[in-house]
Amino acid sequence: MLRVRWLGRTAYRDAHALQRALFARSSDDHLLLLEHPHVYTLGVRADRSNVLVDPASVGAEVVEVDRGGDVTYHGPGQLVGYPILTVPGVRGGGMADTAAYVHGVEQLVIDTLTALGLADVGRLREYPGVWVAPGSDRPRKIAAIGVRLSRGRSMHGFAINVAPDMGMFDHIVPCGISDKEVTSLAAEGIDVDMRTVVDTLVPLAVERWGHGPGSWERADVVWRERPEDLAPFSRGEAAPEAAAAETSVRLRGRLAEAGVTQAVSLRERKPEWMRAKVTPSPGYNRLRSTMRELDLVTVCEEAGCPNIYECWSDGTATFMINGERCTRACGFCLVDTRKPAPPDPDEPERVADAVARMGLDYAVVTTVARDDLDDGGAGQFAATIAAIRRRRPGTTIEVLISDCKGDPASLATIFDAGPDVLNHNVETVPRLQRVARPSASYARSLAVLSRAKDAGLTTKSGLVLGMGETTEEVHATLADLAAIGVDVVTAGQYLRPTAAHLPVARWWAPEELDDLAAVGRQLGLAHVEAAPLTRSSHHAKVAAAAAGLQVAPQRTG
């Protein structure tokens, strides 16, 4: 399959982590299309003196990358494409193979620009990339090409200047070429938006790199992005008290833009399979008493999990650290979004105390998002893991983490603490990311999971279904998770917490979820836990064992 993804605005470091994972672990071909925030990238033979200013002074970062070429610029208004392909006929990535592949990438860009109405576009001898008026006395570069070819697979790719801030090129010697101009479609009088460029390029890419009818698919994150979609803390601002009355208004607008028009009435009775049994037991009451005594928070209670009686009766709970207030406002989640208190330094020891008192062989620790903290709450995770290891060394530890804004150092803090399972949820399909969790990013979540896999951890992710996704979109998301090496995926039906949250678009029947699990296994996922009431931590111990972890046998009674 050729899997085409429009990922929207994506940090360079996240796109690179995702590329590396697809390059190393996937047998499918992929074409990632996106825009970057302002960044200057340096190829392996780049001359740093070609960066003429301090990048921070112009709102950019500089990154050294494993591709050819010198320094180039990426930023908003520029379409970046990363083909991760198995390249036919490549003997090992030598110069001849690389030149032939680069020629093909250039031709894709040339064909795209020609189709968009740009005349006199082609190659300039001795200079890679795509040029306007290459045979004139004033050739102008409109697209940069920089690739890596190794073991018959490709990474990196092309960058087409659609309508970027051309002043950003004045701060570098673009591609190390000091005597040639850089241009854009907008500067050449071609007024097109990014979506038109992508929609023009994709069929040409499928024709060039596809494998026949039915052998490719495409998934896009929603095209419209607005800063006000983000929670205030995600914007680096102080947050007012939650305004629930406004939430449903904003969500209705986002749903319409995502093409979701259907909704289950609040008055409609849930299907029989969605009714969890309320059966308090001595085990439930004992665990609840322990939580209250130690002043601990569980996501089971805060998120209104329907499995709370089953799990607590079995002596299993998901501890929620970093407090009980989240700095994001996801459209499906019940957790409190008011201003959080500082992390409690005693919290890790209290969690470890509860694990020891309950004799847990398998402990799950999750968190609220803490965009107000420099490390996103990563230090509290590391401290909690260490405390559990001291108190009960044999306990298997699963952590369900936020994305820590994609910060590699913060994520490494968690990875280096050595959890047995690293869980991070993508939550929904690309098209519904802005609707469900506007302060997060599909590409960033895939990058978090990719980095965790690189760190040698068993990885896990989850989907909440019934918010307007199609079956085909879920299959594509499962394929993405399998492609980066995720081991376990959970999938369960969304339940609307309040009228101010996202509506339920439809109910997934149990047999549909059975089919979904089968598709996931066919794609290469070690275990898919899919049922109407499945949540991220439901049957976590069983899922971990299915993924190959050595865990204590499941208790009975």
Side-chain angles (χ1 to χ4, degrees), residues 420-423 448-450 452-453 457-461 484-489 547:
D420 298 288
V421 178
L422 191 293
N423 188 352
V448 168
L449 291 161
S450 298
K453 195 68 180 177
L457 302 174
T458 297
T459 51
K460 179 177 177 180
S461 192
I484 61 174
V486 169
D487 300 291
V488 175
V489 172

Side-chain angles (χ1 to χ4, degrees), residues 382-404:
T384 302
I385 293 167
I388 295 172
R389 294 275 189 239
R390 286 193 300 270
R391 294 293 300 276
R392 191 171 170 81
T395 295
T396 301
I397 302 173
E398 175 177 323
V399 293
L400 171 54
I401 70 170
S402 69
D403 58 31
C404 297

Side-chain angles (χ1 to χ4, degrees), residues 10-21 25 403 406 411 415 422 424 426 441-454 481 484:
T10 302
Y12 189 89
R13 63 193 179 199
D14 292 335
H16 190 242
L18 178 54
Q19 278 193 83
R20 282 181 21 234
R25 302 185 188 111
D403 58 31
L411 294 169
F415 302 161
L422 191 293
H424 174 71
V426 296
S441 157
Y442 186 71
R444 185 194 297 162
S445 288
L446 294 180
V448 168
L449 291 161
S450 298
R451 291 189 177 103
K453 195 68 180 177
D454 289 341
L481 294 170
I484 61 174

Side-chain angles (χ1 to χ4, degrees), residues 272-293:
E272 186 63 36
W273 64 76
M274 287 306 305
R275 297 176 192 173
K277 294 180 180 179
V278 180
T279 53
S281 66
Y284 168 86
N285 292 329
R286 183 169 58 253
L287 197 152
R288 187 173 186 275
S289 176
T290 299
M291 296 299 176
R292 297 295 79 78
E293 182 181 342

Side-chain angles (χ1 to χ4, degrees), residues 29-299:
D29 289 340
H30 304 264
L31 175 58
L32 308 181
L33 300 169
L34 47 90
E35 293 177 281
H36 286 309
H38 299 298
V39 61
Y40 295 115
T41 63
L42 301 170
V44 292
R45 291 177 295 279
D47 182 348
R48 264 194 172 269
S49 67
N50 286 329
V51 181
L52 307 177
V53 299
D54 173 10
S57 70
V58 294
E61 61 177 334
V62 62
V63 180
E64 295 181 359
V65 296
D66 53 345
R67 59 154 174 80
D70 206 285
V71 61
T72 192
Y73 163 74
H74 298 309
Q78 184 189 72
L79 174 61
V80 178
Y82 294 126
I84 301 96
L85 311 172
T86 298
V87 183
V90 167
R91 296 179 296 278
M95 290 301 295
D97 296 325
T98 301
Y101 174 67
V102 168
H103 189 278
V105 175
E106 289 172 338
Q107 192 60 51
L108 170 66
V109 175
I110 291 168
D111 293 345
T112 299
L113 296 174
T114 301
L116 290 166
L118 185 61
D120 195 14
V121 58
R123 299 177 181 84
L124 189 62
R125 187 175 179 180
E126 297 182 1
Y127 293 104
V130 176
W131 298 76
V132 177
S136 72
D137 59 359
R138 186 174 159 253
R140 304 175 295 283
K141 191 169 191 176
I142 194 167
I145 310 288
V147 305
R148 176 189 173 197
L149 212 59
S150 176
R151 302 191 305 276
R153 293 279 282 176
S154 67
M155 274 184 64
H156 303 288
F158 58 87
I160 302 173
N161 298 330
V162 179
D165 176 358
M166 298 303 293
M168 296 299 289
F169 288 96
D170 296 338
H171 307 309
I172 60 172
V173 179
C175 301
I177 306 170
S178 60
D179 61 342
K180 300 288 189 297
E181 295 180 47
V182 179
T183 190
S184 68
L185 280 167
E188 297 296 325
I190 306 295
D191 183 17
V192 291
D193 60 19
M194 187 63 71
R195 187 166 194 170
T196 299
V197 179
V198 170
D199 289 345
T200 302
L201 181 142
V202 167
L204 296 169
V206 169
E207 182 180 349
R208 176 168 294 276
W209 293 321
H211 308 284
S215 66
W216 72 281
E217 45 92 359
R218 173 178 169 180
D220 295 7
V221 300
V222 130
W223 283 82
R224 181 179 175 130
E225 293 181 1
R226 297 179 301 189
E228 56 266 34
D229 287 339
L230 305 182
F233 278 115
S234 301
R235 299 195 297 263
E237 302 169 2
E241 294 297 298
E246 299 177 5
T247 303
S248 59
V249 175
R250 293 197 301 271
L251 288 181
R252 282 198 299 270
R254 293 176 201 160
L255 282 167
E257 290 169 357
V260 180
T261 56
Q262 75 276 24
V264 172
S265 170
L266 280 169
R267 294 184 293 274
E268 181 178 317
R269 286 175 60 84
K270 292 193 287 286
E272 186 63 36
W273 64 76
M274 287 306 305
R275 297 176 192 173
K277 294 180 180 179
V278 180
T279 53
S281 66
Y284 168 86
N285 292 329
R286 183 169 58 253
L287 197 152
R288 187 173 186 275
S289 176
T290 299
M291 296 299 176
R292 297 295 79 78
E293 182 181 342
L294 294 172
D295 192 26
L296 291 171
V297 180
T298 68
V299 74

Side-chain angles (χ1 to χ4, degrees), residues 324 337 500:
E324 59 187 13
T337 58

